[in-house]
Coordinates of all heavy atoms in Angstrom, one line a residue:
M1 N 0.8 -1.2 0.0 CA 0.0 0.0 0.0 C 0.9 1.3 0.0 O 0.6 2.2 -0.7 CB -0.9 0.0 1.2 CG -1.9 1.1 1.3 SD -3.0 1.0 -0.1 CE -4.0 2.4 0.2
G2 N 2.0 1.2 0.7 CA 2.8 2.4 0.8 C 3.5 2.7 -0.5 O 3.7 3.9 -0.9
R3 N 3.8 1.7 -1.3 CA 4.5 1.8 -2.6 C 3.5 2.5 -3.6 O 3.9 3.4 -4.3 CB 4.9 0.5 -3.1 CG 5.6 0.6 -4.4 CD 6.2 -0.8 -4.8 NE 6.7 -0.7 -6.1 CZ 6.6 -1.7 -7.0 NH1 5.9 -2.8 -6.7 NH2 7.1 -1.6 -8.2
V4 N 2.2 2.1 -3.5 CA 1.2 2.6 -4.4 C 1.0 4.1 -4.1 O 0.9 5.0 -5.0 CB -0.1 1.8 -4.3 CG1 -1.2 2.5 -5.1 CG2 0.1 0.4 -4.8
L5 N 0.9 4.4 -2.8 CA 0.7 5.8 -2.3 C 1.9 6.7 -2.7 O 1.7 7.8 -3.2 CB 0.5 5.8 -0.8 CG 0.2 7.2 -0.2 CD1 -1.1 7.8 -0.9 CD2 0.1 7.1 1.3
R6 N 3.1 6.2 -2.6 CA 4.3 6.9 -2.9 C 4.3 7.2 -4.4 O 4.6 8.3 -4.9 CB 5.5 6.1 -2.5 CG 6.8 6.9 -2.9 CD 8.0 6.2 -2.3 NE 9.2 6.9 -2.7 CZ 10.1 6.4 -3.5 NH1 10.0 5.3 -4.1 NH2 11.2 7.2 -3.8
E7 N 4.0 6.2 -5.2 CA 3.9 6.4 -6.7 C 2.9 7.4 -7.1 O 3.1 8.3 -7.9 CB 3.6 5.0 -7.4 CG 3.7 5.1 -8.9 CD 3.4 3.8 -9.5 OE1 3.6 2.7 -8.9 OE2 3.0 3.8 -10.7
F8 N 1.7 7.4 -6.4 CA 0.7 8.3 -6.7 C 1.1 9.7 -6.4 O 0.9 10.7 -7.2 CB -0.6 8.0 -5.9 CG -1.7 9.0 -6.0 CD1 -2.4 9.1 -7.2 CD2 -1.9 9.9 -5.0 CE1 -3.4 10.1 -7.3 CE2 -2.9 10.9 -5.1 CZ -3.6 11.0 -6.2
L9 N 1.8 9.9 -5.2 CA 2.2 11.2 -4.8 C 3.3 11.8 -5.8 O 3.3 13.0 -6.1 CB 2.7 11.2 -3.4 CG 1.6 11.0 -2.3 CD1 2.3 10.9 -0.9 CD2 0.7 12.2 -2.4
V10 N 4.2 10.9 -6.2 CA 5.3 11.3 -7.1 C 4.6 11.8 -8.5 O 5.0 12.8 -9.0 CB 6.3 10.2 -7.3 CG1 7.2 10.5 -8.5 CG2 7.1 10.0 -6.0
E11 N 3.7 11.0 -9.0 CA 3.0 11.4 -10.2 C 2.2 12.6 -10.1 O 2.2 13.5 -11.0 CB 2.1 10.2 -10.7 CG 2.9 9.0 -11.3 CD 2.0 8.0 -11.8 OE1 0.8 8.3 -12.1 OE2 2.5 6.8 -12.0
A12 N 1.5 12.8 -9.0 CA 0.8 14.0 -8.8 C 1.7 15.2 -8.7 O 1.4 16.3 -9.2 CB -0.1 13.9 -7.5
L13 N 2.8 15.1 -8.0 CA 3.7 16.2 -7.9 C 4.4 16.5 -9.2 O 4.5 17.7 -9.6 CB 4.8 15.8 -6.8 CG 5.8 16.9 -6.6 CD1 5.2 18.2 -6.0 CD2 6.9 16.4 -5.6
G14 N 4.7 15.5 -10.0 CA 5.2 15.7 -11.3 C 4.2 16.4 -12.2 O 4.6 17.3 -13.0
E15 N 3.0 16.0 -12.1 CA 1.9 16.7 -12.9 C 1.8 18.1 -12.5 O 1.6 19.0 -13.4 CB 0.6 15.9 -12.7 CG -0.5 16.4 -13.5 CD -0.5 15.9 -15.0 OE1 0.2 14.9 -15.2 OE2 -1.2 16.5 -15.8
L16 N 1.8 18.4 -11.2 CA 1.7 19.8 -10.7 C 2.9 20.6 -11.2 O 2.7 21.8 -11.6 CB 1.6 19.8 -9.2 CG 1.5 21.1 -8.5 CD1 0.1 21.7 -8.8 CD2 1.7 21.0 -7.0
V17 N 4.1 20.1 -11.1 CA 5.3 20.9 -11.6 C 5.2 21.1 -13.1 O 5.5 22.3 -13.5 CB 6.6 20.1 -11.2 CG1 7.8 20.7 -11.8 CG2 6.7 20.1 -9.7
L18 N 4.8 20.1 -13.8 CA 4.8 20.3 -15.3 C 3.7 21.3 -15.7 O 3.9 22.2 -16.5 CB 4.5 19.0 -16.0 CG 4.6 18.9 -17.5 CD1 6.0 19.4 -17.9 CD2 4.4 17.6 -18.0
T19 N 2.5 21.3 -15.0 CA 1.5 22.3 -15.2 C 2.0 23.7 -14.9 O 1.7 24.6 -15.7 CB 0.2 21.9 -14.4 OG1 -0.2 20.6 -14.8 CG2 -0.9 22.9 -14.6
A20 N 2.6 23.8 -13.8 CA 3.1 25.1 -13.4 C 4.1 25.7 -14.4 O 4.1 26.8 -14.7 CB 3.7 25.1 -12.0
V21 N 5.1 24.8 -14.8 CA 6.1 25.3 -15.8 C 5.4 25.7 -17.1 O 5.8 26.7 -17.7 CB 7.1 24.1 -16.0 CG1 8.0 24.4 -17.2 CG2 8.0 24.0 -14.7
A22 N 4.5 24.9 -17.6 CA 3.9 25.2 -18.8 C 3.1 26.5 -18.8 O 3.2 27.3 -19.6 CB 2.9 24.0 -19.3
C23 N 2.3 26.6 -17.7 CA 1.5 27.9 -17.6 C 2.4 29.1 -17.3 O 2.1 30.2 -17.9 CB 0.5 27.7 -16.4 SG -0.9 26.6 -16.9
L24 N 3.4 28.9 -16.6 CA 4.3 30.1 -16.4 C 5.0 30.4 -17.6 O 5.3 31.6 -17.9 CB 5.3 29.7 -15.3 CG 4.8 29.8 -13.8 CD1 5.9 29.3 -12.9 CD2 4.4 31.2 -13.5
A25 N 5.4 29.5 -18.5 CA 6.1 29.7 -19.7 C 5.2 30.5 -20.7 O 5.6 31.5 -21.3 CB 6.6 28.5 -20.4
V26 N 3.9 30.1 -20.7 CA 2.9 30.8 -21.6 C 2.7 32.2 -21.1 O 2.7 33.2 -21.8 CB 1.6 30.0 -21.7 CG1 0.5 30.8 -22.3 CG2 1.9 28.7 -22.5
G27 N 2.5 32.3 -19.8 CA 2.2 33.6 -19.2 C 3.4 34.6 -19.3 O 3.2 35.7 -19.6
T28 N 4.6 34.1 -19.1 CA 5.8 34.9 -19.2 C 6.0 35.4 -20.6 O 6.4 36.5 -20.9 CB 7.0 34.1 -18.7 OG1 6.8 33.7 -17.3 CG2 8.3 35.0 -18.8
T29 N 5.8 34.5 -21.6 CA 5.9 34.9 -23.0 C 4.9 36.0 -23.3 O 5.2 36.9 -24.0 CB 5.7 33.7 -23.9 OG1 6.6 32.6 -23.5 CG2 5.9 34.0 -25.3
A30 N 3.7 35.8 -22.9 CA 2.6 36.8 -23.2 C 3.0 38.2 -22.5 O 2.9 39.2 -23.1 CB 1.3 36.4 -22.7
V31 N 3.4 38.2 -21.2 CA 3.8 39.4 -20.5 C 5.0 40.0 -21.2 O 5.0 41.3 -21.4 CB 4.0 39.1 -19.0 CG1 4.7 40.3 -18.4 CG2 2.7 38.8 -18.4
A32 N 6.0 39.3 -21.6 CA 7.2 39.8 -22.2 C 6.8 40.4 -23.6 O 7.3 41.5 -23.9 CB 8.2 38.7 -22.4
F33 N 5.9 39.8 -24.3 CA 5.5 40.4 -25.6 C 4.8 41.7 -25.4 O 5.0 42.7 -26.1 CB 4.7 39.4 -26.4 CG 4.4 39.9 -27.8 CD1 5.3 39.8 -28.8 CD2 3.1 40.4 -28.1 CE1 5.0 40.3 -30.0 CE2 2.8 40.8 -29.3 CZ 3.8 40.8 -30.3
V34 N 3.8 41.7 -24.5 CA 3.1 43.0 -24.2 C 4.0 44.1 -23.7 O 3.9 45.2 -24.2 CB 1.9 42.7 -23.2 CG1 1.3 44.0 -22.7 CG2 0.9 41.8 -23.8
W35 N 4.9 43.8 -22.8 CA 5.9 44.7 -22.3 C 6.7 45.3 -23.5 O 6.9 46.5 -23.6 CB 6.7 44.1 -21.2 CG 7.8 45.1 -20.7 CD1 7.6 46.1 -19.8 CD2 9.1 45.1 -21.1 NE1 8.7 46.7 -19.6 CE2 9.7 46.2 -20.3 CE3 9.9 44.4 -22.0 CZ2 11.1 46.5 -20.5 CZ3 11.3 44.8 -22.1 CH2 11.8 45.8 -21.3
G36 N 7.2 44.4 -24.3 CA 8.0 44.8 -25.5 C 7.2 45.6 -26.5 O 7.8 46.5 -27.1
W37 N 6.0 45.2 -26.7 CA 5.1 46.0 -27.6 C 4.9 47.4 -27.1 O 4.9 48.3 -27.9 CB 3.8 45.3 -27.8 CG 3.0 45.8 -28.9 CD1 2.1 46.8 -28.9 CD2 3.1 45.4 -30.3 NE1 1.5 47.0 -30.1 CE2 2.1 46.2 -31.0 CE3 3.8 44.4 -30.9 CZ2 2.0 46.0 -32.4 CZ3 3.6 44.3 -32.3 CH2 2.7 45.1 -33.0
E38 N 4.8 47.6 -25.8 CA 4.7 48.9 -25.3 C 5.9 49.8 -25.4 O 5.9 51.0 -25.6 CB 4.3 48.9 -23.8 CG 2.8 48.4 -23.6 CD 2.5 48.2 -22.1 OE1 3.4 48.3 -21.2 OE2 1.4 47.8 -21.8
R39 N 7.1 49.1 -25.3 CA 8.4 49.8 -25.5 C 8.6 50.1 -26.9 O 9.1 51.2 -27.2 CB 9.5 48.9 -24.9 CG 9.4 48.6 -23.5 CD 9.8 49.8 -22.7 NE 9.8 49.4 -21.3 CZ 9.5 50.2 -20.3 NH1 9.3 51.4 -20.6 NH2 9.5 49.8 -19.1
G40 N 8.4 49.2 -27.8 CA 8.6 49.4 -29.2 C 8.1 48.3 -30.0 O 8.5 47.1 -30.0
S41 N 7.0 48.6 -30.8 CA 6.3 47.5 -31.5 C 7.2 46.9 -32.6 O 7.1 45.7 -32.8 CB 5.0 48.0 -32.1 OG 5.3 49.1 -33.0
L42 N 8.1 47.7 -33.2 CA 8.9 47.1 -34.2 C 9.9 46.1 -33.7 O 10.1 45.0 -34.2 CB 9.6 48.2 -34.9 CG 10.5 47.8 -36.1 CD1 9.6 47.2 -37.2 CD2 11.2 49.0 -36.7
V43 N 10.5 46.4 -32.5 CA 11.4 45.5 -31.9 C 10.7 44.2 -31.4 O 11.2 43.1 -31.6 CB 12.2 46.2 -30.7 CG1 13.0 45.2 -29.9 CG2 13.0 47.4 -31.2
A44 N 9.6 44.4 -30.8 CA 8.8 43.2 -30.3 C 8.4 42.3 -31.4 O 8.5 41.1 -31.4 CB 7.6 43.7 -29.5
G45 N 7.9 42.9 -32.5 CA 7.6 42.1 -33.7 C 8.8 41.5 -34.3 O 8.7 40.3 -34.7
G46 N 9.9 42.2 -34.4 CA 11.1 41.6 -34.9 C 11.6 40.4 -34.1 O 12.0 39.4 -34.6
V47 N 11.6 40.6 -32.8 CA 12.1 39.5 -31.9 C 11.1 38.3 -32.0 O 11.6 37.1 -32.1 CB 12.1 40.0 -30.4 CG1 12.3 38.8 -29.5 CG2 13.3 40.9 -30.3
G48 N 9.8 38.5 -32.2 CA 8.9 37.5 -32.3 C 9.1 36.7 -33.7 O 9.1 35.5 -33.7
V49 N 9.4 37.5 -34.7 CA 9.6 36.8 -36.0 C 10.9 36.0 -35.9 O 11.0 34.9 -36.4 CB 9.7 37.9 -37.1 CG1 10.3 37.3 -38.4 CG2 8.3 38.5 -37.4
V50 N 12.0 36.5 -35.3 CA 13.2 35.8 -35.2 C 13.0 34.5 -34.4 O 13.5 33.5 -34.7 CB 14.3 36.7 -34.5 CG1 15.5 35.9 -34.1 CG2 14.7 37.8 -35.5
L51 N 12.3 34.6 -33.3 CA 12.0 33.4 -32.5 C 11.2 32.4 -33.3 O 11.5 31.2 -33.3 CB 11.2 33.8 -31.2 CG 10.9 32.6 -30.3 CD1 12.2 32.0 -29.8 CD2 10.1 33.1 -29.1
L52 N 10.2 32.8 -34.1 CA 9.4 31.9 -34.9 C 10.3 31.3 -36.0 O 10.2 30.1 -36.3 CB 8.2 32.6 -35.5 CG 7.1 32.9 -34.6 CD1 6.0 33.7 -35.3 CD2 6.5 31.6 -34.0
V53 N 11.2 32.0 -36.6 CA 12.1 31.5 -37.6 C 13.0 30.5 -37.0 O 13.3 29.4 -37.6 CB 12.9 32.6 -38.3 CG1 14.0 32.1 -39.1 CG2 12.0 33.5 -39.2
F54 N 13.6 30.8 -35.8 CA 14.5 29.8 -35.1 C 13.7 28.5 -34.8 O 14.3 27.4 -35.0 CB 15.0 30.5 -33.8 CG 16.0 29.7 -33.1 CD1 17.3 29.5 -33.7 CD2 15.8 29.1 -31.9 CE1 18.3 28.8 -33.0 CE2 16.8 28.4 -31.2 CZ 18.0 28.2 -31.8
I55 N 12.5 28.6 -34.3 CA 11.7 27.4 -34.0 C 11.4 26.7 -35.3 O 11.4 25.4 -35.3 CB 10.5 27.8 -33.2 CG1 10.9 28.1 -31.7 CG2 9.5 26.6 -33.1 CD1 9.8 28.6 -30.9
G56 N 11.1 27.4 -36.3 CA 10.8 26.8 -37.6 C 12.1 26.0 -38.2 O 12.0 24.9 -38.7
Y57 N 13.2 26.7 -38.0 CA 14.5 26.0 -38.4 C 14.7 24.7 -37.6 O 15.1 23.7 -38.1 CB 15.6 27.0 -38.2 CG 17.0 26.4 -38.4 CD1 17.4 25.9 -39.7 CD2 17.9 26.3 -37.4 CE1 18.6 25.3 -39.9 CE2 19.2 25.8 -37.6 CZ 19.5 25.3 -38.8 OH 20.8 24.7 -39.0
G58 N 14.4 24.8 -36.3 CA 14.5 23.6 -35.5 C 13.6 22.5 -35.9 O 14.0 21.3 -36.0
G59 N 12.4 22.8 -36.3 CA 11.4 21.9 -36.8 C 11.9 21.3 -38.1 O 11.8 20.1 -38.4
W60 N 12.5 22.1 -39.0 CA 13.0 21.6 -40.3 C 14.2 20.7 -40.0 O 14.3 19.6 -40.7 CB 13.4 22.8 -41.1 CG 14.0 22.5 -42.4 CD1 13.4 21.9 -43.5 CD2 15.3 22.8 -42.9 NE1 14.2 21.8 -44.5 CE2 15.4 22.3 -44.2 CE3 16.4 23.4 -42.3 CZ2 16.6 22.4 -45.0 CZ3 17.6 23.5 -43.1 CH2 17.6 23.0 -44.4
E61 N 15.0 21.0 -39.1 CA 16.1 20.1 -38.7 C 15.6 18.8 -38.2 O 16.3 17.7 -38.4 CB 17.1 20.8 -37.7 CG 18.0 21.8 -38.3 CD 19.0 21.2 -39.2 OE1 19.5 20.0 -39.0 OE2 19.4 21.9 -40.2
L62 N 14.6 18.8 -37.4 CA 14.0 17.6 -36.9 C 13.4 16.7 -37.9 O 13.5 15.4 -37.8 CB 13.0 17.9 -35.8 CG 13.5 18.3 -34.5 CD1 12.3 18.8 -33.6 CD2 14.3 17.3 -33.8
L63 N 12.8 17.3 -39.0 CA 12.1 16.5 -39.9 C 12.8 16.1 -41.2 O 12.4 15.1 -41.9 CB 10.8 17.3 -40.4 CG 9.8 17.6 -39.3 CD1 8.7 18.4 -39.8 CD2 9.3 16.3 -38.7
R64 N 14.0 16.7 -41.5 CA 14.7 16.3 -42.7 C 15.5 15.1 -42.4 O 15.9 14.8 -41.2 CB 15.5 17.4 -43.2 CG 16.7 17.8 -42.4 CD 17.4 19.0 -43.1 NE 18.8 19.1 -42.5 CZ 19.7 19.9 -43.0 NH1 19.3 20.7 -44.0 NH2 20.9 20.0 -42.5
P65 N 15.8 14.3 -43.4 CA 16.6 13.0 -43.2 C 18.0 13.3 -42.6 O 18.7 14.2 -43.1 CB 16.6 12.4 -44.5 CG 15.8 13.2 -45.5 CD 15.5 14.5 -44.8
P66 N 18.4 12.5 -41.6 CA 19.7 12.7 -41.0 C 20.8 12.2 -41.9 O 20.7 11.2 -42.6 CB 19.6 11.9 -39.7 CG 18.6 10.9 -40.0 CD 17.6 11.5 -40.9
K67 N 21.9 12.9 -41.9 CA 23.1 12.5 -42.6 C 24.3 12.6 -41.6 O 24.3 13.6 -40.8 CB 23.4 13.3 -43.8 CG 22.5 13.1 -45.0 CD 22.9 13.9 -46.2 CE 21.9 13.6 -47.3 NZ 22.2 14.4 -48.5
P68 N 25.2 11.7 -41.6 CA 26.3 11.7 -40.6 C 27.1 13.0 -40.7 O 27.5 13.5 -41.8 CB 27.2 10.5 -40.9 CG 26.4 9.7 -41.9 CD 25.3 10.6 -42.5
G69 N 27.3 13.6 -39.5 CA 28.2 14.8 -39.4 C 27.6 16.1 -39.9 O 28.3 17.1 -40.1
R70 N 26.3 16.2 -40.2 CA 25.7 17.3 -40.8 C 25.2 18.3 -39.7 O 25.2 19.5 -39.9 CB 24.6 17.0 -41.7 CG 24.0 18.2 -42.4 CD 23.0 17.8 -43.5 NE 21.8 17.2 -43.0 CZ 20.9 16.7 -43.8 NH1 21.0 16.8 -45.1 NH2 19.8 16.2 -43.3
R71 N 24.7 17.8 -38.6 CA 24.0 18.7 -37.7 C 25.1 19.4 -36.8 O 25.9 18.8 -36.2 CB 23.1 17.9 -36.8 CG 22.4 18.8 -35.7 CD 21.4 18.0 -35.0 NE 20.2 17.8 -35.9 CZ 19.1 17.2 -35.5 NH1 19.0 16.7 -34.3 NH2 18.1 17.1 -36.3
G72 N 25.0 20.7 -36.8 CA 25.9 21.6 -36.0 C 25.3 21.9 -34.7 O 24.2 21.5 -34.3
R73 N 26.0 22.8 -33.9 CA 25.5 23.2 -32.6 C 24.2 24.0 -32.7 O 23.3 23.8 -32.0 CB 26.5 24.0 -31.9 CG 27.7 23.2 -31.4 CD 28.6 24.0 -30.5 NE 29.9 23.4 -30.6 CZ 31.0 24.0 -30.4 NH1 31.0 25.3 -30.2 NH2 32.1 23.4 -30.5
L74 N 24.2 24.9 -33.7 CA 23.0 25.8 -33.8 C 21.8 24.9 -34.2 O 20.7 25.1 -33.7 CB 23.2 26.9 -34.9 CG 22.1 27.8 -35.1 CD1 21.8 28.6 -33.9 CD2 22.4 28.7 -36.3
A75 N 22.0 24.0 -35.1 CA 20.9 23.1 -35.5 C 20.4 22.3 -34.3 O 19.2 22.1 -34.1 CB 21.3 22.2 -36.6
G76 N 21.3 21.8 -33.5 CA 20.9 21.0 -32.3 C 20.2 21.8 -31.3 O 19.2 21.4 -30.7
V77 N 20.6 23.1 -31.1 CA 19.9 24.0 -30.1 C 18.5 24.3 -30.7 O 17.6 24.3 -29.9 CB 20.8 25.2 -29.9 CG1 20.0 26.2 -29.1 CG2 22.0 24.9 -29.1
A78 N 18.5 24.6 -32.0 CA 17.2 24.9 -32.6 C 16.2 23.7 -32.5 O 15.0 23.9 -32.2 CB 17.4 25.3 -34.0
A79 N 16.7 22.5 -32.7 CA 15.9 21.3 -32.6 C 15.4 21.1 -31.2 O 14.2 20.8 -31.0 CB 16.6 20.1 -33.2
A80 N 16.3 21.3 -30.2 CA 15.9 21.1 -28.8 C 14.9 22.2 -28.4 O 13.9 21.9 -27.7 CB 17.1 21.2 -27.9
T81 N 15.1 23.4 -28.9 CA 14.2 24.5 -28.5 C 12.8 24.2 -29.1 O 11.8 24.4 -28.5 CB 14.7 25.8 -29.1 OG1 16.0 26.1 -28.5 CG2 13.8 27.0 -28.7
T82 N 12.8 23.7 -30.3 CA 11.5 23.4 -31.0 C 10.8 22.3 -30.2 O 9.6 22.4 -30.0 CB 11.7 23.0 -32.4 OG1 12.4 24.0 -33.1 CG2 10.4 22.6 -33.1
T83 N 11.5 21.3 -29.8 CA 10.9 20.2 -29.1 C 10.3 20.6 -27.8 O 9.2 20.3 -27.4 CB 12.0 19.1 -28.9 OG1 12.5 18.7 -30.1 CG2 11.4 17.9 -28.1
V84 N 11.1 21.4 -27.0 CA 10.6 21.9 -25.7 C 9.4 22.8 -25.9 O 8.5 22.7 -25.1 CB 11.8 22.6 -24.9 CG1 11.3 23.3 -23.7 CG2 12.9 21.6 -24.5
A85 N 9.5 23.7 -26.9 CA 8.4 24.6 -27.1 C 7.1 23.9 -27.5 O 6.0 24.2 -27.0 CB 8.8 25.6 -28.2
A86 N 7.3 22.9 -28.3 CA 6.1 22.1 -28.8 C 5.5 21.3 -27.6 O 4.3 21.3 -27.4 CB 6.5 21.1 -29.9
L87 N 6.4 20.7 -26.8 CA 5.9 20.0 -25.6 C 5.2 20.9 -24.6 O 4.1 20.6 -24.1 CB 7.0 19.2 -24.9 CG 7.5 18.0 -25.7 CD1 8.8 17.5 -25.0 CD2 6.5 17.0 -25.9
L88 N 5.8 22.1 -24.3 CA 5.1 23.0 -23.4 C 3.8 23.6 -23.9 O 2.9 23.7 -23.2 CB 6.1 24.1 -23.0 CG 7.2 23.7 -22.1 CD1 8.1 24.9 -21.8 CD2 6.7 23.2 -20.7
F89 N 3.8 23.9 -25.2 CA 2.6 24.4 -25.9 C 1.5 23.3 -25.8 O 0.4 23.6 -25.5 CB 2.9 24.8 -27.3 CG 1.7 25.3 -28.0 CD1 1.2 26.6 -27.7 CD2 0.9 24.5 -28.9 CE1 0.1 27.1 -28.4 CE2 -0.2 25.0 -29.5 CZ -0.6 26.3 -29.3
A90 N 1.8 22.1 -26.1 CA 0.8 21.0 -26.1 C 0.3 20.8 -24.7 O -0.9 20.6 -24.5 CB 1.4 19.7 -26.7
Y91 N 1.2 20.8 -23.7 CA 0.8 20.6 -22.3 C -0.1 21.8 -21.8 O -1.1 21.6 -21.2 CB 1.9 20.4 -21.4 CG 1.5 19.8 -20.1 CD1 1.2 18.5 -20.0 CD2 1.3 20.6 -19.0 CE1 0.8 17.9 -18.8 CE2 0.9 20.1 -17.8 CZ 0.6 18.8 -17.7 OH 0.1 18.3 -16.5
A92 N 0.4 23.0 -22.2 CA -0.4 24.2 -21.8 C -1.8 24.2 -22.4 O -2.8 24.6 -21.8 CB 0.3 25.5 -22.1
W93 N -1.9 23.7 -23.6 CA -3.2 23.6 -24.3 C -4.1 22.6 -23.6 O -5.3 22.8 -23.4 CB -2.9 23.2 -25.8 CG -4.2 23.2 -26.6 CD1 -5.1 22.3 -26.7 CD2 -4.6 24.3 -27.5 NE1 -6.1 22.7 -27.6 CE2 -5.8 23.9 -28.1 CE3 -4.0 25.5 -27.8 CZ2 -6.4 24.8 -29.0 CZ3 -4.7 26.4 -28.7 CH2 -5.9 26.0 -29.2
S94 N -3.5 21.5 -23.2 CA -4.3 20.4 -22.5 C -4.7 20.8 -21.1 O -5.8 20.3 -20.7 CB -3.6 19.1 -22.5 OG -2.5 19.1 -21.6
C95 N -4.0 21.6 -20.4 CA -4.3 21.9 -19.0 C -5.2 23.2 -18.9 O -5.6 23.5 -17.8 CB -3.1 22.1 -18.2 SG -2.2 23.6 -18.4
G96 N -5.5 23.8 -20.0 CA -6.4 25.0 -20.0 C -5.7 26.3 -19.7 O -6.4 27.3 -19.4
C97 N -4.4 26.4 -19.9 CA -3.7 27.7 -19.7 C -3.9 28.6 -20.8 O -3.7 29.8 -20.7 CB -2.2 27.4 -19.5 SG -1.8 26.5 -18.1
L98 N -4.2 28.1 -22.0 CA -4.4 29.0 -23.2 C -5.9 29.3 -23.4 O -6.8 28.7 -23.1 CB -3.9 28.3 -24.4 CG -2.4 27.9 -24.4 CD1 -2.0 27.2 -25.7 CD2 -1.6 29.2 -24.3

């Protein structure tokens, strides 16, 4: 019985932490964009476009066929960023943060 209770508590805590991280990431992104838009709409829009292009590049790197020795550091970081962003977005969508 103790093992089942411990497993339940660990899963519940993990779910709570993941929900908090996803909702905070979405909220922080929205607040940062609004704050940036108030400071300078051109800069905020430019940064948003650059971020979307970077995430798009990461998605492209993830989906194209791998060849040995082709992926560089920037491509790896872009792919990791795309993966994390997609997971947080999907989780935030499912928990009702959006």
Side-chain angles (χ1 to χ4, degrees):
M1 183 67 178
R3 182 175 173 220
V4 173
L5 182 60
R6 181 173 178 251
E7 183 178 338
F8 172 75
L9 289 175
V10 168
E11 286 184 20
L13 183 62
E15 184 80 17
L16 181 67
V17 168
L18 190 57
T19 300
V21 167
C23 289
L24 284 173
V26 169
T28 302
T29 303
V31 168
F33 185 76
V34 169
W35 179 81
W37 192 266
E38 290 173 355
R39 299 280 184 215
S41 59
L42 185 62
V43 173
V47 169
V49 166
V50 168
L51 182 61
L52 285 175
V53 167
F54 187 69
I55 288 176
Y57 172 63
W60 180 63
E61 282 292 328
L62 284 172
L63 295 177
R64 73 182 195 173
K67 289 185 180 174
R70 183 168 69 183
R71 181 173 284 181
R73 285 187 207 154
L74 181 64
V77 170
T81 302
T82 301
T83 303
V84 169
L87 289 173
L88 285 177
F89 181 77
Y91 194 80
W93 188 276
S94 71
C95 75
C97 296
L98 299 177

